[in-house]
Amino acid sequence: HGIRITGAARAALELCAVTHTGAAAVAVDDNARPVLRTCRIGDSEAAGVVITGDAGADAAPDDDTAGEAPSAGGEFGVALRGCEIARTGRDGVHVTGRAVASLVDCRVSDIRAAGVVATGAGRLRLHDTITTDTAGSGLAAGGEAQVEVRGGAFTRSGANGVYASDTAHLTLVDCAVTVSAYTGVHAGDGSRVTVRDSRVQGTPEHGLRSVDRALLTLTDTKIDDTELCGIEVDGGDLSARGCRITKATTGIGLRTDHRPLVDDCSVSSCSGVGIDIGAGTAALVVDTRVTGTGAAGVFVREGAAAWLTDCSITDTKGTGLVVQAGARPRVRGTTVTGTAKNGLYIADNAAGRFEDCDISATGFPAVYVGSEATPLLRGCRIHDTDEDLKLADGADPVIERCRVDDVKISTMPEEALGGEPLPAPGGAAAL
């Protein structure tokens, strides 16, 4: 090691350079609690900084600090402020055991493994710290670690930008995760990942992904330029509020036994499907806007029981809303307009309830009902399109109190008509 701090030692290192070491450049263990300020650590054959044991724990509060504001100055436990960690053979910073540490205004770069790692029961804070050009993930949390990140960025990661596993708890606030080789933010196993007021951009995989039993909680986060899904749930769980997804292949993909929530989100400029609700999934999508998709706006797959409320689907190169066999979605107060194909396509043997919806400007018939399909359409308005309804042989829909206006070819049964005008979006008068 270049410097080892152990026992109950206290130390303050300022303006120091620790380079070209065979083991970790700085190693802290036992109950030691140093402070490193404006130090340069690098060119190590092993890790840059390793913090283990109970190092820094005596300076930390006993309660869970994840999600709370940093203490004065942001320092916490074993503290690094204004330091540079670069060109290490292993992790840039590794916190494990029951150690407690913080990095404030630091830069971790050119790392031949992961940039920052927290495992065991370690607790770590990163404040306005940048991790860049790592062969592994920019930030990895495992075990029972608790990690809080405020400000800063993780960029040009050779693996995930941010990776959580086991039962780790990870919070990102006002962060940027950009240009990662794998998924930007990955939550696996039983981890809990919270992302707020952040940006995820530039990956050949997913923007954010939840698998296994992991919970991904997103608020006011922007996801841009992802080659797979902007947000994907594959067995995990999701709560997404106020998020903006642009330039993905699929905006949001949901395949889970849980009940994921998408609330007040927008999905735009996707080359494929806007929101893909997988087979058997019971998703809740509220007040969400899907626009400019290269395929269907919303796709409800076999046996799904999704709820869509007060949503809009516009300008799709495919159908606005597709419902596959065995699916039984409940769709209320949703607008579908500007679709290259059908506004609503209900496949053979599908069902569902579609109430108070507005469908217009469709390239194919506004509503298609397949053979043996048994949907309920109640209080819907179909207008400004060539054809309102197409029924396959054996289709058995129930249509009540609907309205048809400015349709060139109408096959809507007379007994299905008579609905009251729907209010136009934004409170304007209905045409």
Side-chain angles (χ1 to χ4, degrees):
H1 301 300
I3 297 174
R4 185 180 180 208
I5 305 167
T6 188
R10 300 292 183 266
L13 290 80
E14 297 192 32
L15 296 168
C16 296
V18 186
T19 63
H20 296 91
T21 61
V26 177
V28 184
D29 56 28
D30 291 339
N31 294 297
R33 181 159 52 89
V35 176
L36 288 75
R37 294 190 175 95
T38 324
C39 293
R40 183 166 54 87
I41 298 163
D43 299 296
S44 167
E45 294 181 15
V49 180
V50 173
I51 304 168
T52 188
D54 291 301
D58 63 342
D62 293 333
D63 60 322
D64 180 359
T65 60
E68 297 179 5
S71 57
E75 295 178 357
F76 180 69
V78 176
L80 285 74
R81 175 182 284 275
C83 295
E84 178 184 335
I85 300 100
R87 299 175 304 281
T88 64
R90 296 182 184 172
D91 300 333
V93 177
H94 195 121
V95 178
T96 188
R98 293 173 298 278
V100 177
S102 60
L103 280 70
V104 180
D105 295 322
C106 293
R107 185 177 182 89
V108 181
S109 63
D110 297 311
I111 305 299
R112 291 192 291 275
V116 179
V117 176
T119 61
R123 297 168 67 186
L124 174 65
R125 278 180 175 165
L126 279 71
H127 190 71
D128 291 338
T129 288
I130 295 173
T131 297
T132 184
D133 297 300
T134 60
S137 295
L139 169 65
E144 301 174 5
Q146 299 177 30
V147 181
E148 177 190 305
V149 184
R150 289 179 177 267
F154 305 93
T155 188
R156 295 195 296 274
S157 304
N160 301 105
V162 174
Y163 180 89
S165 62
D166 302 320
T167 58
H169 286 208
L170 173 62
T171 300
L172 305 175
V173 180
D174 191 25
C175 297
V177 181
T178 63
V179 194
S180 58
Y182 299 168
T183 291
V185 177
H186 177 96
D189 298 325
S191 62
R192 300 290 183 267
V193 176
T194 300
V195 183
R196 187 167 68 247
D197 298 318
S198 294
R199 177 170 58 93
V200 179
Q201 182 178 25
T203 168
E205 294 191 353
H206 308 287
L208 302 101
R209 189 177 190 222
S210 170
V211 302
D212 304 320
R213 306 173 312 282
L215 172 61
L216 190 58
T217 303
L218 313 177
T219 306
D220 296 330
T221 290
K222 296 179 180 179
I223 302 102
D224 180 60
D225 192 19
T226 64
E227 294 187 18
L228 297 180
C229 290
I231 302 171
E232 190 195 52
V233 176
D234 189 1
D237 204 358
L238 170 73
S239 172
R241 298 178 184 272
C243 295
R244 306 292 179 262
I245 300 102
T246 59
K247 290 187 289 185
T249 296
T250 299
I252 301 174
L254 305 172
R255 292 180 298 278
T256 179
D257 292 333
H258 298 284
R259 189 180 291 272
L261 170 66
V262 177
D263 183 11
D264 187 25
C265 294
S266 70
V267 177
S268 63
S269 303
C270 293
S271 60
V273 174
I275 300 177
D276 193 336
I277 301 172
T281 298
L284 177 59
V285 183
V286 180
D287 192 22
T288 289
R289 299 155 299 285
V290 177
T291 186
T293 62
V298 177
F299 207 116
V300 183
R301 296 192 180 269
E302 295 87 345
W307 290 56
L308 278 75
T309 303
D310 298 330
C311 296
S312 67
I313 303 168
T314 62
D315 299 324
T316 67
K317 291 184 178 178
T319 291
L321 172 59
V322 177
V323 180
Q324 288 199 315
R328 303 179 64 85
R330 300 192 67 171
V331 182
R332 180 186 291 274
T334 291
T335 298
V336 181
T337 187
T339 64
K341 295 185 178 180
N342 303 104
L344 170 62
Y345 181 97
I346 304 167
D348 297 351
N349 298 297
R353 299 169 65 94
F354 305 87
E355 301 179 275
D356 302 328
C357 296
D358 187 299
I359 304 173
S360 65
T362 63
F364 289 9
V367 177
Y368 172 86
V369 182
S371 177
E372 308 300 325
T374 58
L376 167 66
L377 281 73
R378 176 182 290 149
C380 295
R381 182 185 179 216
I382 300 172
H383 62 100
D384 298 293
T385 195
D386 287 343
E387 188 173 355
D388 56 7
L389 179 65
K390 180 75 171 180
L391 301 179
D393 291 341
D396 189 21
V398 175
I399 305 174
E400 300 175 352
R401 302 193 306 276
C402 291
R403 286 189 64 207
V404 174
D405 298 309
D406 296 319
V407 172
K408 293 180 181 178
I409 302 172
S410 179
T411 57
M412 187 72 72
E414 287 292 332
E415 62 272 17
L417 301 176
E420 294 298 321
L422 294 176
L431 297 176

